[in-house]
Amino acid sequence: QEQLVASGGGLVQVGGSLRLSCSVYGHPEETLSMGWVRQALGKEREIVAAISWTGTSSYYSDSVKGRFTVSRDGNKNTVYLQMNSLKPEDTALYYCAASSIAGAIAEEFFNSWGQGTQVTVSS
């Protein structure tokens, strides 16, 4: 079974940037899509970005479109989430997730999850 390890969270001021990383170990050949899902305190989880394992297609939620960029490095089996122009409402625990379904952008299609990495945006 594959293992996902997320990193890169932290405390940043409004307007700042962070880059999250998610490394996939185990059986990355079974992964067809990767996603980033966040959960703010007291709110439901929200998928903010997803990318095909080939890197040819991506998805962004309206809340982050134009500010976040998802990418992957196939040689390192790592997916990144570059977050720019951060807002206080971006504060959340961010999870990376893997899916064996191509084009997955719904949370229920992700079957492997990494541990969360906290992102806090201070005003």
Side-chain angles (χ1 to χ4, degrees):
Q1 185 174 355
E2 61 188 1
Q3 181 182 9
L4 281 62
V5 179
S7 62
L11 174 64
V12 64
Q13 291 186 335
V14 169
S17 299
L18 281 175
R19 188 176 81 155
L20 306 183
S21 300
C22 178
S23 296
V24 182
Y25 301 96
H27 298 283
E29 64 274 10
E30 298 175 355
T31 298
L32 297 183
S33 301
M34 292 289 296
W36 286 98
V37 180
R38 70 185 182 187
Q39 186 166 25
L41 194 63
K43 296 186 177 180
E44 294 186 354
R45 289 197 292 198
E46 171 193 17
I47 182 166
V48 296
I51 187 168
S52 61
W53 190 245
T54 59
T56 55
S57 64
S58 59
Y59 160 84
Y60 299 94
S61 68
D62 289 341
S63 59
V64 306
K65 196 173 296 181
R67 300 186 298 120
F68 290 12
T69 303
V70 61
S71 62
R72 64 173 289 274
D73 184 333
N75 293 326
K76 297 180 179 179
N77 289 335
T78 299
V79 175
Y80 304 96
L81 184 67
Q82 178 66 43
M83 306 184 295
N84 298 328
S85 302
L86 284 162
K87 304 175 181 180
E89 52 264 41
D90 294 318
T91 294
L93 194 58
Y94 284 71
Y95 300 89
C96 63
S99 174
S100 57
I101 298 173
I105 59 171
E107 183 182 331
E108 59 263 33
F109 295 132
F110 290 95
N111 47 287
S112 295
W113 291 77
Q115 88 290 4
T117 184
Q118 179 69 36
V119 172
T120 302
V121 184
S122 64
S123 57

